Amino acid sequence: MLGFEITINEEKPFVAAADNFTDVILNIGYPRNDGSIYVGASGYGTKYVWRGMDARIGDKVKVRVVSTGRVSLPQEVKPSDRHRLMEDYKALEAELLRRGWME
């Protein structure tokens, strides 16, 4: 299985991978410059999170694509709430239609 080997700030590397898809998301927000580092995955109704943390100046993140049979234990595992996701989608769709940003 393909996955990511991640090292954050010289910590011990961990491997994140799942049956469907795996995300590594690094972001910095404007105008407050707050950001986050997120490593997670979704697979067949289950959500996995290896890291979810605030980004700070000087953080160093190393990401390497690997083919592996060994995945590190996630910090969080929980079922995906598909019903809530559909409700959120419909609310967003209604808002975009109301604003005229979608037809």
Side-chain angles (χ1 to χ4, degrees):
M1 147 183 345
L2 289 179
F4 297 110
E5 181 183 81
I6 313 286
T7 305
I8 300 174
N9 295 330
E10 309 304 327
E11 293 175 3
K12 180 180 174 186
F14 63 93
V15 175
D19 293 330
N20 281 352
F21 59 88
T22 304
D23 298 312
V24 175
I25 302 172
L26 307 173
N27 68 54
I28 296 295
Y30 176 81
R32 295 188 327 248
N33 292 329
D34 55 344
S36 64
I37 300 168
Y38 171 83
V39 181
S42 180
Y44 303 109
T46 304
K47 179 181 175 181
Y48 306 94
V49 177
W50 284 270
R51 292 293 188 282
M53 57 189 280
D54 292 336
R56 295 177 312 275
I57 293 173
D59 280 342
K60 181 178 178 182
V61 180
K62 181 178 176 183
V63 179
R64 187 168 70 114
V65 176
V66 295
S67 178
T68 185
R70 290 189 64 136
V71 176
S72 300
L73 187 65
Q75 289 181 341
E76 182 180 336
V77 178
K78 63 183 181 180
S80 297
D81 186 346
R82 293 181 183 266
H83 180 70
R84 188 188 60 80
L85 290 173
M86 184 55 77
E87 287 176 352
D88 291 348
Y89 170 80
K90 288 179 181 178
L92 176 59
E93 181 180 43
E95 179 66 15
L96 294 174
L97 287 168
R98 184 185 69 75
R99 292 183 182 201
W101 295 351
M102 189 173 130
E103 294 182 8

